[in-house]
Amino acid sequence: MKAVYLTEHGGPEVLQFGDLPDPEPGRGEVRVRLHYAALNHLDIWVRKGWPGLRLRYPHILGADGAGVVDAVGPGVDPAWVGRRVVLNPNIGCGRCDYCRAGLDNMCDRWQLLGETRSGTYAEFVVVPEANVLPVPDGFDLAHAAAAALVFQTAWHSLVTRGGLRPGEWVLVVGASGGVNTASIQIAKLAGATVLVVGSNARKLALARDLGADHLIDRSQTPAWHKEVRRLTGKRGVDVVVDNVGTTFPLSFKAARKGGRILTVGNTGGPVFEIDNRYIFGKHLSVIGSTMSPQKDFRQVMDLVFAGRLRAVVDRVFPLAEARAAHEYLERGQQLGKVVLAIAADA
Ligand code: ZN
């Protein structure tokens, strides 16, 4: 099969396009002929590598994908063959205490497509049967692929972990990334008032289209926490969605007493300084999570399929141009998701 893979860590130039053997589905697994993959910042972190990450080369990147089931392994209903599906990239073992409690994203033997096993930058991928979800007829597979990781992650963080309630004020730090565009929509659907801090007017226009109530341009207002306090009558927001990380000092200032800071990533880098006095002095809760359990994935994808939430697709590259797609994502000017087209649409 055609695939984009790496044999060493590094910049976008380490992505190679070529032929690798077709994967065969094992017991309980299905093989999906992919039509689209979607990029996530995760792909860049895996490509660059981190201490302790051990990939088996050649390694295929990519967590998000959608396509058509083309083969099933032993123990799987052959009726799956020919069905259009989207992948849940978050794979639990199904047997550990966390999985049995329905918390498969906390699994002791947790796997993630494109990180701990072969991903979606390829014509075929093999996943457990539990990790494919049928896509309704007429729903675009590119948008299904673009939604999977970011919507499950944002839903789990805001709704399940963050306990977001109608009438609350939510600040989203960042306007245009995949998780942020999902978070803005989910917060509006939950009945919250949404503030967005973005780096320029173009990105903020997207946030407004997605339903954001108040926009703050940090290129004009570097001390944006003051504007948040002004807009909330000096109270501060109930919830801050901060997946930048290096912005935590300002997020702590923007939160109300007793507020919650939700985080699922750190696009600004993993290590930064915080002033702990804000956490205890303001009774703040910092709530982290990664991905979501199956239940949240299915719940949020139902809303995506129903058109109540939508993935924002910025640009589609052919699979062979994955390197250019990575360079584009790293420049950070995209509005929403960057997608790879692999086969003709079903
Ligand atoms: Zn498990």
Side-chain angles (χ1 to χ4, degrees), residues 281-335:
K282 290 183 72 174
H283 306 257
L284 299 178
S285 302
V286 177
I287 303 174
S289 59
T290 194
M291 308 294 290
S292 82
Q294 285 276 8
K295 178 175 156 287
D296 288 17
F297 173 69
R298 283 156 199 272
Q299 196 174 358
V300 77
M301 288 307 292
D302 278 349
L303 292 165
V304 170
F305 294 147
R308 300 186 66 193
L309 300 169
R310 68 177 170 98
V312 179
V313 174
D314 173 286
R315 195 165 158 190
V316 182
F317 290 82
L319 177 65
E321 292 174 21
R323 175 179 170 174
H326 269 229
E327 288 165 348
Y328 182 66
L329 184 64
E330 283 189 283
R331 283 200 292 276
Q333 294 308 307
Q334 75 283 358
L335 298 178

Side-chain angles (χ1 to χ4, degrees), residues 92-100 104 106-110:
C93 72
R95 297 184 299 277
C96 73
D97 289 346
Y98 287 114
C99 283
R100 284 202 300 244
D104 44 282
M106 295 170 72
C107 173
D108 286 334
R109 288 176 286 275
W110 187 67

Side-chain angles (χ1 to χ4, degrees), residues 169-171 193 195 228-229 232 235-240 251 254-260:
W169 286 64
V170 176
L171 168 67
T193 299
L195 292 69
V228 172
R229 298 194 67 78
T232 55
R235 179 174 171 271
V237 292
D238 302 287
V239 172
V240 184
S251 290
R256 71 162 167 84
K257 281 184 279 184
R260 291 102 80 199

Side-chain angles (χ1 to χ4, degrees), residues 163-226:
L164 184 60
R165 292 181 293 274
E168 288 196 305
W169 286 64
V170 176
L171 168 67
V172 180
V173 180
S176 64
V179 175
N180 291 333
T181 53
S183 297
I184 292 165
Q185 295 178 64
I186 290 168
K188 286 307 298 177
L189 194 63
T193 299
V194 178
L195 292 69
V196 175
V197 180
S199 57
N200 61 47
R202 183 172 152 263
K203 293 181 176 182
L204 287 166
L206 171 63
R208 168 152 284 164
D209 284 349
L210 296 174
D213 299 285
H214 301 281
L215 309 172
I216 305 168
D217 185 338
R218 69 176 163 80
S219 68
Q220 308 296 320
T221 313
W224 45 261
H225 61 288
K226 291 181 182 166

